[in-house]
C-alpha cells in the first residue's frame, strides 16, 4: 500500500508527518462523532461530513501560515480544524451554543474564525470563489505575504462565479490557490454527467494558470502540490488550480442512502482510505512506531471528548442575541 | 464653495476618500481605461491618472466577481468602492450581495465587518428594459445592507463619504438623469441639479432624511428623480392653493421614519412617489409603517405614485407613460384632499 504514496516525506521531519496524521485523525473522529451526536438528536441541523477527504485539508493546511486565508464550503469542518479552529469551538457551533465559533449564528455550514484565517464558510456552491480572489487582491494591495486558499467541490466548477473569479485571479496574478476536491459526485450527480472534460484541472489552461491533478487521498501528494502552488503564489506569480481526486466515504448530507453509487465503487475507495494508507506509510517508511501512532489516536480521542463536554456545558444564546451582529455600529 | 454636478461631487468624494485613506480603491468595468469613459457616467473620469490603475481597478465584464472580490477585499481590511455600470447588473451580483455580503457579519457571530460600497445608476433613460430599472427595493428587503440615494450634489459627496467610512455594505443608488455628466456622456432629458458643494471634508449621515419643501396640506416622500418631479408638482399644487411638504428620505435603510411621521402628523396625508414598479417597492414599506405608526393622524388613505407593474419600455412615448410624471403626482394629491 505504501508503494502508492508520494515519497515527499524526506523534506518533512517525523514531527510534521505525525502532525499531519494527527490532523487527519482529528477530522475523521470529529466527523464520526458529529454524526453520532446528530443521530442521537443531540445536535440539530444537517451535516455535510468530510469523511474520506481528510488528506486534502491536512495536506494543504500543512503548507499554510496562520495569517493565510482559507475560504470553505458547505462541508467545512475539516478545513476549519486543519486551519486551527479548535474542535471545541466547532462542536459548540454545531450544538448552536453561544460559545461556538460563530456564537451559534453560523452553524455547521458556516463555521469559521478569522482570527485563524478561516472565513465563515460559504454554503452557496461557487459563491466562495470570488471572495477568495478578493482576499488575495487585498493581500496583494497591502503588500502582505499572505495567500488565500479556496476549497470547492466538483460541483462548483460549473458555476458562473467560479469562472469569473478564476479569470480575474489569473489576469491580476493574485496569490490564491484554488483547491478542487473532486469527490466524483455533486450531491448525487456523477462527475461524468456534468463534465465533458476528463479533469477539472484542464480548465486552468483556459485562464492561463497551472492546473494539476493530485491523488487527493495521498496526504503527501497533496502537501507537495500545495507547497508548489503556495510558493508560486507567494512569489507573486499568480494562482494555481489543484484538483484533488478523492471520495466521500459517507453520504452527501444527513439523509443520503447513497443509492446513486455502487457498493463496489465504495469498497474500492474504502481501500484507498487516506488515513490507514498514511498510517501504514509512516510505519513502513518513517521509523514511526505503532505506539506513537496509538498515542496520537488517544490524544485525538481526548480532544473530541473535551470538545463534546465543552459544547454540552456551554450556554445557549439568549433570545435577544437574534437581533445583534446584523450591522456594525 | 464650488458649484458641482452630482457626477463631479461623487468624483470629488472618491478623490478625497482615496487621498485620506489608502485602503480605499475603486473596482469596476470601464472605470479607468486610458481614453475610456471613466465609468458609464464619467464619475471616475481622470482618477486613474491621479491614483494609478491598481487603485482604479478595471475588471473584465464579470459582475459576480466584482461584488465577490470587493467583499473579500473588504473583509481583509480594504475599503472598496465598486462601480456597477447599470443598477440592472446588480442582479448578476445577487448571490454575492444577498447571500454573502449581507450575512457575513451575522454568520461570523459579529467578528467580521464588511465595509464595501456599491455605486449603481438607476432610472429609465430610453435604453429599454434592462438598463432602466429602479431596483432599490430589492435591497431594502435584505437585512445587513444599507441603502442610500443621493439626489443633490451636496448629498452625493456627503453620503458617498459616509458610505465609504461605514463598516457595513452600503448600496449607493444614483440617478442617470441627475448626474449632469458632460461631453458625449450627457444624458438626454437630464435635469442636472448643479449645487453648492463645500470643498472641505463633510459627511451626510446615513439614515437622515431632509425636508426639501415645507407645506401643511400633504406630505410627499420621493427619492432621486422623483424628488424633482414632486418639487415641480408641489409648485403647481401651490398655484392651486395646496401646500405640499416634500421629503427626500436620502436613505432607505435605515429609514428616517421619525421625519416622515412628524410631517404626517402635521399634514394628515401621505403620498409616496418612486420610479420603481408599484408592487413591493420601498414605498409600500413606507406606507405600511405610516399606516401603523401614523394611523390616528391620517385624514385620507395613503397613496403611491410609482411605475406601473410592467417592464420599462423603450419608445420615449411609452417611457413617458411609465415614469411617474408631475401631472400624475398633482392629480393624485388633488384626489386625496
Amino acid at each position: 500500500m505504501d508503494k502508492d504514496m508520494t515519497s515527499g516525506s524526506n523534506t518533512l521531519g517525523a514531527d510534521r508527518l505525525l502532525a499531519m496524521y494527527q490532523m487527519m485523525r482529528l477530522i475523521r473522529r470529529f466527523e464520526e462523532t458529529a454524526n453520532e451526536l446528530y443521530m442521537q438528536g443531540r445536535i440539530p441541523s444537517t451535516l455535510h461530513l468530510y469523511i474520506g477527504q481528510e488528506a486534502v485539508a491536512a495536506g494543504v493546511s500543512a503548507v499554510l501560515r496562520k495569517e493565510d486565508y482559507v475560504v470553505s464550503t458547505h462541508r467545512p469542518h475539516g478545513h476549519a480544524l486543519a486551519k486551527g479552529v479548535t474542535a471545541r469551538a466547532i462542536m459548540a457551533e454545531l450544538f448552536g451554543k453561544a460559545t461556538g465559533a460563530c456564537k451559534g449564528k453560523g452553524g455547521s455550514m458556516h463555521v469559521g474564525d478569522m482570527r485563524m484565517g478561516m472565513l465563515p464558510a460559504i454554503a452557496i456552491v461557487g459563491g466562495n470563489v470570488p471572495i477568495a480572489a478578493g482576499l488575495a487582491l487585498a493581500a496583494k494591495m497591502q503588500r502582505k505575504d499572505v495567500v488565500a486558499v479556496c476549497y470547492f467541490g466538483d460541483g462548483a466548477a460549473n458555476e458562473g462565479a467560479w469562472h469569473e473569479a478564476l479569470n480575474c485571479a489569473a489576469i491580476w496574478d493574485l496569490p490564491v490557490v484554488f483547491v478542487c476536491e473532486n469527490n466524483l459526485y455533486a450531491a448525487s450527480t456523477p462527475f461524468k454527467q456534468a463534465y465533458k472534460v476528463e479533469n477539472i484541472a484542464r480548465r486552468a489552461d483556459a485562464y492561463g494558470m497551472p492546473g494539476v491533478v493530485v491523488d487527493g487521498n495521498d496526504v503527501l501528494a497533496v502537501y507537495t502540490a500545495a507547497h508548489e502552488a503556495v510558493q508560486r503564489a507567494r512569489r507573486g506569480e499568480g494562482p494555481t488550480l489543484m484538483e484533488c481526486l478523492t471520495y466521500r466515504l459517507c453520504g452527501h448530507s444527513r439523509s443520503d442512502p447513497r443509492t446513486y453509487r455502487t457498493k463496489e465503487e465504495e469498497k474500492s475507495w474504502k481501500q484507498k482510505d487516506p488515513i490507514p494508507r498514511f498510517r501504514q506509510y509512516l510505519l513502513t517508511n518513517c521509523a514511526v512506531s505503532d505506539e506513537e501512532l496509538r498515542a496520537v489516536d488517544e490524544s485525538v480521542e481526548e480532544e473530541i471528548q473535551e470538545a463534546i463536554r465543552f459544547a454540552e456545558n456551554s450556554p445557549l444564546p439568549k433570545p435577544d442575541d437574534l437581533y445583534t451582529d446584523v450591522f456594525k455600529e | 464653495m464650488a458649484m458641482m454636478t452630482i457626477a463631479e461631487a461623487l468624483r470629488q468624494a472618491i478623490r478625497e476618500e482615496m487621498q485620506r485613506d489608502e485602503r480605499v480603491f475603486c473596482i469596476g468595468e470601464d472605470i479607468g481605461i486610458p481614453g475610456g469613459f471613466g465609468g458609464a457616467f464619467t464619475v471616475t473620469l481622470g482618477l486613474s491618472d491621479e491614483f494609478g490603475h491598481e487603485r482604479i481597478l478595471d475588471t473584465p465584464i464579470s459582475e459576480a466577481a466584482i461584488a465577490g472580490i470587493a467583499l473579500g477585499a473588504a473583509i481583509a481590511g480594504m475599503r472598496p468602492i465598486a462601480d456597477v455600470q447599470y443598477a440592472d447588473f446588480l442582479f448578476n451580483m445577487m448571490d454575492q450581495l444577498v447571500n454573502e455580503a449581507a450575512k457575513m457579519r451575522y454568520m461570523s457571530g459579529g467578528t467580521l465587518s464588511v465595509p464595501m460600497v456599491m455605486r449603481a445608476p438607476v432610472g429609465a433613460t430610453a435604453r429599454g428594459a434592462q438598463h432602466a430599472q429602479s431596483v432599490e427595493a430589492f435591497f431594502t428587503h435584505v437585512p445587513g445592507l444599507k441603502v442610500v440615494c443621493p439626489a443633490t450634489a451636496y448629498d452625493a459627496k456627503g453620503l458617498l463619504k459616509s458610505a465609504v467610512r461605514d463598516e457595513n455594505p452600503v448600496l449607493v443608488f444614483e440617478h442617470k438623469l441627475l448626474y449632469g455628466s458632460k461631453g458625449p456622456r450627457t444624458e438626454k432629458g437630464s435635469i442636472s441639479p448643479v449645487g453648492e458643494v463645500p470643498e472641505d471634508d463633510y459627511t451626510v449621515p446615513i439614515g437622515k432624511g431632509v425636508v426639501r419643501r415645507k407645506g401643511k396640506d400633504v406630505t410627499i416622500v420621493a427619492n432621486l428623480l422623483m424628488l424633482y418631479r414632486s418639487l415641480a408638482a408641489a409648485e403647481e399644487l401651490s398655484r392651486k392653493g395646496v401646500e405640499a411638504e416634500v421629503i427626500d428620505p436620502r436613505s432607505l435603510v435605515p429609514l428616517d421614519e421619525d421625519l416622515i411621521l412628524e410631517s404626517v402628523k402635521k399634514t394628515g396625508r401621505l403620498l409616496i412617489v418612486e420610479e420603481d414598479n408599484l408592487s413591493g417597492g420601498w414605498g409600500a414599506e413606507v406606507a405600511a409603517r405610516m399606516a401603523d405608526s401614523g394611523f390616528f393622524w391620517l385624514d385620507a388613505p395613503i397613496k403611491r405614485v410609482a411605475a406601473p407593474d410592467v417592464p420599462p419600455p423603450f419608445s420615449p412615448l411609452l417611457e413617458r407613460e411609465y415614469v411617474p410624471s408631475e401631472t400624475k403626482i398633482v392629480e393624485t394629491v388633488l384626489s386625496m384632499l
Side-chain angles (χ1 to χ4, degrees):
Chain A
M1 196 181 274
D2 53 296
K3 288 195 296 289
D4 304 340
M5 300 277 297
T6 306
S7 54
S9 59
N10 49 1
T11 56
L12 292 167
D15 53 337
R16 293 199 59 196
L17 293 170
L18 270 178
M20 281 156 99
Y21 173 78
Q22 174 160 22
M23 183 51 65
M24 290 165 72
R25 278 293 299 183
L26 179 66
I27 296 170
R28 174 68 55 93
R29 289 297 301 134
F30 185 94
E31 296 294 63
E32 289 174 346
T33 308
N35 192 46
E36 285 162 29
L37 292 166
Y38 171 75
M39 299 302 274
Q40 293 163 5
R42 288 157 78 187
I43 55 177
S45 169
T46 186
L47 291 172
H48 301 88
L49 301 175
Y50 198 63
I51 294 171
Q53 304 180 201
E54 295 90 345
V56 180
V60 170
S61 265
V63 182
L64 300 178
R65 303 168 184 160
K66 185 180 170 186
E67 59 272 23
D68 292 326
Y69 300 115
V70 161
V71 186
S72 177
T73 70
H74 57 285
R75 199 180 301 287
H77 308 166
H79 303 147
L81 287 166
K83 195 62 177 65
V85 185
T86 61
R88 50 163 34 200
I90 303 172
M91 192 65 85
E93 189 63 29
L94 298 193
F95 274 75
K97 295 297 182 75
T99 56
C102 311
K103 298 201 308 204
K105 288 178 171 171
S108 167
M109 286 195 273
H110 303 302
V111 291
D113 182 348
M114 267 308 257
R115 287 167 302 185
M116 305 308 298
M118 171 80 190
L119 195 74
I122 302 295
I124 305 294
V125 172
N128 59 336
V129 190
I131 303 172
L135 293 166
L137 175 67
K140 184 172 178 166
M141 293 177 108
Q142 293 160 344
R143 312 285 188 266
K144 282 185 182 166
D145 182 12
V146 167
V147 169
V149 166
C150 182
Y151 291 103
F152 52 88
D154 44 293
N158 283 334
E159 288 278 6
W162 186 89
H163 295 269
E164 293 188 17
L166 261 72
N167 186 51
C168 287
I171 59 175
W172 297 329
D173 293 324
L174 298 183
V176 54
V177 180
F178 299 106
V179 180
C180 176
E181 297 183 80
N182 183 351
N183 62 18
L184 301 180
Y185 294 88
S188 69
T189 302
F191 176 78
K192 284 192 185 310
Q193 199 170 319
Y195 287 87
K196 192 76 171 175
V197 289
E198 281 195 10
N199 284 298
I200 291 170
R202 275 187 65 187
R203 291 187 173 177
D205 271 354
Y207 301 108
M209 70 175 79
V212 289
V213 180
V214 183
D215 178 350
N217 281 20
D218 174 348
V219 69
L220 295 177
V222 173
Y223 174 87
T224 303
H227 187 267
E228 195 173 326
V230 167
Q231 289 308 313
R232 177 180 143 82
R234 290 201 199 286
R235 288 194 303 268
E237 292 169 18
T240 301
L241 173 58
M242 261 177 75
E243 179 181 7
C244 301
L245 301 176
T246 185
Y247 198 76
R248 261 195 280 113
L249 295 174
C250 58
H252 165 70
S253 60
R254 60 178 170 180
S255 54
D256 176 5
R258 315 194 304 280
T259 44
Y260 49 87
R261 310 196 302 201
T262 64
K263 292 286 170 272
E264 293 71 38
E265 182 185 277
E266 292 193 349
K267 204 174 153 192
S268 77
W269 278 96
K270 183 70 190 162
Q271 283 164 0
K272 290 184 267 188
D273 185 331
I275 297 179
R277 210 172 150 194
F278 189 45
R279 194 176 208 281
Q280 190 58 45
Y281 176 88
L282 291 174
L283 288 170
T284 313
N285 298 299
C286 303
V288 173
S289 69
D290 196 48
E291 288 71 38
E292 283 175 279
L293 292 172
R294 269 186 287 163
V296 168
D297 295 349
E298 278 167 32
S299 77
V300 163
E301 227 40 57
E302 280 167 31
E303 192 171 344
I304 298 289
Q305 292 309 316
E306 197 279 330
I308 299 172
R309 278 196 300 277
F310 173 75
E312 289 200 312
N313 294 333
S314 286
L316 287 163
K318 296 181 191 69
D320 279 352
D321 293 338
L322 175 68
Y323 304 99
T324 59
D325 303 323
V326 180
F327 290 108
K328 185 173 183 185
E329 297 305 316
Chain B
M1 290 231 218
M3 297 300 283
M4 286 188 194
T5 64
I6 285 183
E8 288 165 342
L10 291 167
R11 189 182 309 133
Q12 187 58 23
I14 293 169
R15 177 183 288 121
E16 288 177 18
E17 290 305 288
M18 288 183 69
Q19 286 166 345
R20 182 187 63 82
D21 184 345
E22 64 179 14
R23 299 172 301 171
V24 179
F25 72 102
C26 296
I27 179 169
E29 297 157 1
D30 302 305
I31 61 173
I33 301 288
F37 318 129
F41 299 94
T42 72
V43 170
T44 53
L45 193 63
L47 292 180
S48 62
D49 296 334
E50 279 177 67
F51 296 101
H53 293 283
E54 190 179 57
R55 293 183 73 195
I56 303 292
L57 184 58
D58 286 293
T59 69
I61 300 179
S62 300
E63 283 86 10
I66 292 169
I69 287 169
L71 166 58
I75 291 169
M78 299 299 287
R79 299 217 161 227
I81 305 173
D83 183 300
V84 184
Q85 213 158 56
Y86 288 81
D88 313 68
F89 307 166
L90 283 165
F91 298 130
N92 296 55
M93 307 175 165
M94 270 323 229
D95 172 52
Q96 290 302 322
L97 297 175
V98 178
N99 285 322
E100 266 80 87
K103 295 171 175 62
M104 194 61 75
R105 180 170 178 78
Y106 199 76
M107 293 194 303
S108 75
T111 56
L112 288 186
S113 56
V114 182
M116 65 188 277
V117 176
M118 311 296 299
R119 293 184 34 249
V122 297
T125 51
R127 288 173 165 91
Q130 297 176 341
H131 291 66
Q133 297 164 89
S134 291
V135 302
E136 301 95 296
F138 285 89
F139 301 93
T140 60
H141 183 66
V142 181
L145 301 178
K146 293 186 179 180
V147 178
V148 303
C149 38
T152 68
Y154 181 91
D155 284 353
K157 181 178 168 186
L159 273 173
L160 182 54
K161 278 174 168 266
S162 287
V164 170
R165 298 176 195 189
D166 203 280
E167 297 294 335
N168 304 284
V170 183
L171 287 118
V172 180
F173 288 105
E174 305 158 4
H175 199 289
K176 299 178 198 100
L177 293 182
L178 300 182
Y179 278 122
S181 310
K182 289 173 185 151
R185 306 302 292 178
T186 304
E187 288 293 307
K188 208 174 172 188
S190 286
I191 60 174
S192 192
V194 174
E196 286 190 342
V197 176
E199 273 150 48
D200 57 337
D201 186 31
Y202 70 94
T203 58
V204 170
I206 295 174
K208 289 284 172 210
V210 63
V211 176
R212 295 290 183 197
R213 184 188 192 280
K214 285 207 167 295
K216 60 178 176 37
D217 299 321
V218 60
T219 301
I220 303 177
V221 177
N223 72 335
L224 295 169
L225 181 68
M226 295 301 103
L227 171 67
Y228 293 93
R229 298 262 162 104
S230 298
L231 286 168
E235 293 311 307
E236 177 66 22
L237 286 164
S238 181
R239 286 190 283 276
K240 298 178 189 296
V242 179
E243 295 303 329
E245 180 142 302
V246 180
I247 291 178
D248 176 2
R250 297 198 289 195
S251 299
L252 299 178
V253 179
L255 181 70
D256 193 347
E257 264 185 84
D258 292 344
L259 183 75
I260 300 169
L261 181 61
E262 285 312 304
S263 179
V264 167
K265 284 181 181 175
K266 183 172 69 178
T267 64
R269 290 178 175 78
L270 174 62
L271 171 69
I272 302 135
V273 187
E274 59 185 318
E275 195 176 322
D276 194 1
N277 302 107
L278 180 73
S279 296
W282 60 263
E285 181 63 25
V286 174
R289 291 192 193 196
M290 288 303 119
D292 183 343
S293 59
F295 183 79
F296 294 105
W297 286 276
L298 286 165
D299 298 322
I302 299 168
K303 290 281 184 186
R304 287 174 293 157
V305 172
D309 289 336
V310 301
F314 165 66
S315 168
L317 181 136
L318 296 176
E319 190 178 271
R320 275 196 297 278
E321 181 65 18
Y322 174 86
V323 179
S325 65
E326 189 185 316
T327 309
K328 270 189 198 161
I329 298 166
V330 169
E331 284 170 359
T332 306
V333 167
L334 292 175
S335 77
M336 295 166 70
L337 300 172

